[in-house]
Amino acid sequence: MALVAVGLNHQTAPLEFRERVAFAPGDTASALAALTAQPGVREAAILSTCNRTELYCTVDGGAETTPAAWLQRHHQLTGERLGEFLYLHTDADAVRHLFRVATGLESMVLGEPQILGQVKDAYALAREAHTLNAPLERLFQNTFAVAKRVRSDTRIGANPVSVAFTAVRLAERLFADLGQACVLLIGAGETIELAARHLTEARVRRLIVANRTLENAQALAGRFGGYAITLADLPRHLAEADVVIASTASREPVLDRDTVAAALAERRRKPMFMVDIAVPRDIDPAVATIEDAFLYTIDDLRAVIDENLRGRREAARDAEAMIELSVEHFMGWWRALDLRNPVTQLRRHAESDRDEVLAKAQSMLARGRPADEVLAFLANTLTNKLLHAPSANLRAAALRGDADLLRAAERLFESEPTPPVNRES
């Protein structure tokens, strides 16, 4: 059995490709069912955020590339260059990768805290879909413990440099005084809530929150003194906005070129600054071709982010050391799990032999054979089947002088098991 992490992220793939392989939360359960139905795939969890799409699976030996092939088929990318952007990690490397992701070491914003919540969401969706067993369950629990320890014992989370903070910092650069600006937030999730908090701290003049569900928009707007609208109301209110920050889970753009062009005409060509931090994108990329519309995507935030990372890099080195120790601990458990596999395999073979012999015995009874004869057949045949392979292997060991195997077999088949050693005495 192997542990596999396969995916792509902001470091390996451009935005236009990342949005094509993203999974909407509502589609994840069916995707997990389809993934775990693939030959050799035992367990699966899907992590899909604005910066990454990753599959975490346990698979039978030889099936390590099955999840990657499924991902390509699922998104109908056959014949395209998905392989150029994918990474594949197995066993210890897969464990290390998930630990690094959850602690923010793989994020565009080093140490950003939102990713841990997204990993927890991926875990919860997999549990609801019943696609987790003991190995991945334990891996995710270890991941949460590692992330908590890294965040409490290092300064990896010092200084606010989340994507939401970075979007607001960019808005401050583009619009000299946010205290004179009207900001439109599209969405009502955690990222938008963080943006609203940072905007409030910057004393923004007016805040409008737009969301598909009005109640969610009202709840968020109410906490920050804003005004709530639905997405359907965007064309009527867009012209009021000096700055737009968008982050929804929509599969299609919520703002198209014509809507933005009409709003700018109403503003009499007064510029509008737009930051789209959603994947897939919320604002049609064609908006960037409109004069006086200044559109930035999540990939454009890199320069602002880099300026805020210096204080976290030393903490990241401490986090790396903690992660390495945690990988070693988990892999010790993982190797022990493999050592228990022969017991499972032995029981599986024994149960298969039992079912085969029992079926023959039942057939004999159905044909009217005497019960004593059938019982004798059942006992003798089952005994011979269960002892055949061990007996043949022990004879071969005796012929080649394999004393270690013979001594191990002697201990294995003792009628009274050796009592455990008390190491505390």
Side-chain angles (χ1 to χ4, degrees):
M1 183 169 65
L3 181 62
V4 170
V6 60
L8 48 77
N9 62 23
H10 62 284
Q11 297 171 328
T12 69
L15 175 58
E16 58 267 23
F17 217 91
R18 297 201 307 272
E19 61 188 0
R20 293 181 65 186
V21 299
F23 290 87
D27 299 334
T28 303
S30 60
L32 285 166
L35 176 54
T36 51
Q38 301 304 302
V41 178
R42 298 187 178 191
E43 304 173 86
I46 295 175
L47 173 63
S48 187
T49 74
C50 58
N51 279 332
R52 69 185 63 251
T53 292
E54 295 177 339
L55 313 178
Y56 292 91
C57 307
T58 56
V59 300
D60 293 332
E64 288 84 355
T65 60
T66 298
W70 172 84
L71 182 65
Q72 184 160 333
R73 291 194 305 273
H74 181 80
H75 289 292
Q76 299 178 347
L77 296 172
T78 305
E80 299 194 40
R81 52 197 183 106
L82 179 63
E84 295 179 26
F85 307 124
L86 284 181
Y87 41 81
L88 172 64
H89 304 296
T90 59
D91 296 335
D93 289 336
V95 175
R96 183 178 297 104
H97 182 74
L98 180 55
F99 287 175
R100 287 177 57 85
V101 167
T103 52
L105 293 182
E106 292 289 329
S107 295
M108 178 185 291
V109 178
L110 181 64
E112 60 95 2
Q114 283 73 45
I115 184 61
L116 178 57
Q118 293 165 333
V119 173
K120 288 181 176 180
D121 289 343
Y123 163 74
L125 287 171
R127 286 202 73 186
E128 291 172 9
H130 305 291
T131 59
L132 295 184
N133 293 318
L136 278 189
E137 175 77 35
R138 190 178 183 104
L139 174 59
F140 275 98
Q141 293 303 328
N142 274 250
T143 298
F144 304 147
V146 169
K148 181 178 179 181
R149 193 159 59 249
V150 165
R151 195 151 297 276
S152 62
D153 294 353
T154 75
R155 290 182 56 78
I156 191 71
N159 304 321
V161 288
S162 66
V163 171
F165 174 82
T166 306
V168 173
R169 177 61 61 85
L170 179 62
E172 287 179 314
R173 288 186 176 186
L174 300 175
F175 198 95
D177 184 6
L178 284 181
Q180 301 299 316
C182 174
V183 179
L184 168 64
L185 299 177
I186 304 178
E190 184 178 2
T191 299
I192 289 296
E193 182 175 357
L194 284 170
R197 180 173 290 112
H198 292 308
L199 287 165
T200 301
E201 291 170 356
R203 300 185 181 280
V204 65
R205 178 178 64 83
R206 186 167 183 237
L207 194 64
I208 303 174
V209 179
N211 191 57
R212 193 175 307 278
T213 305
L214 182 59
E215 290 78 6
N216 293 343
Q218 289 171 332
L220 180 57
R223 288 198 294 275
F224 297 101
Y227 176 68
I229 63 173
T230 67
L231 295 185
D233 293 326
L234 279 174
R236 291 195 294 113
H237 291 274
L238 185 58
E240 302 171 36
D242 302 299
V243 178
V244 177
I245 300 176
S247 179
T248 77
S250 174
R251 302 298 297 176
E252 302 293 335
V254 297
L255 277 182
D256 57 30
R257 190 183 188 283
D258 290 344
T259 301
V260 175
L264 283 168
E266 188 176 343
R267 288 170 62 84
R268 298 186 180 182
R269 315 312 305 177
K270 183 181 178 183
M272 182 183 296
F273 302 102
M274 315 181 82
V275 185
D276 186 353
I277 51 180
V279 177
R281 283 171 281 193
D282 281 334
I283 303 174
D284 186 344
V287 167
T289 65
I290 305 174
E291 188 177 357
D292 299 318
F294 297 87
L295 175 61
Y296 298 81
T297 69
I298 192 165
D299 285 355
D300 296 320
L301 302 182
R302 291 179 189 271
V304 181
I305 288 168
D306 287 343
E307 293 180 11
N308 295 281
L309 294 183
R310 287 187 290 273
R312 296 192 175 197
R313 288 191 177 117
E314 185 175 344
R317 287 192 289 272
D318 295 335
E320 296 273 10
M322 296 173 68
I323 285 173
E324 286 306 312
L325 286 174
S326 299
V327 170
E328 290 179 18
H329 291 160
F330 182 84
M331 291 309 296
W333 176 84
W334 180 262
R335 285 188 288 270
L337 188 67
D338 276 347
L339 290 176
R340 289 196 294 271
N341 280 347
V343 177
T344 304
Q345 189 174 15
L346 177 64
R347 180 173 292 277
R348 189 180 297 118
H349 284 313
E351 290 173 347
S352 176
D353 289 340
R354 176 202 64 197
D355 294 343
E356 179 185 348
V357 176
L358 180 60
K360 289 181 179 179
Q362 290 170 332
S363 177
M364 292 170 66
L365 287 173
R367 295 198 304 271
R369 303 290 286 273
D372 289 348
E373 179 184 341
V374 174
L375 286 174
F377 164 82
L378 179 65
N380 292 333
T381 305
L382 187 56
T383 300
N384 290 337
K385 276 186 169 291
L386 292 176
L387 293 179
H388 172 70
S391 299
N393 288 331
L394 287 173
R395 283 194 296 271
L399 289 173
R400 66 175 180 266
D402 190 344
D404 289 339
L405 180 57
L406 292 172
R407 280 194 295 269
E410 185 178 3
R411 289 185 57 197
L412 182 62
F413 294 112
E414 284 178 354
S415 58
E416 293 293 331
T418 303
V421 176
N422 186 351
R423 299 186 184 277
E424 296 181 358
S425 60

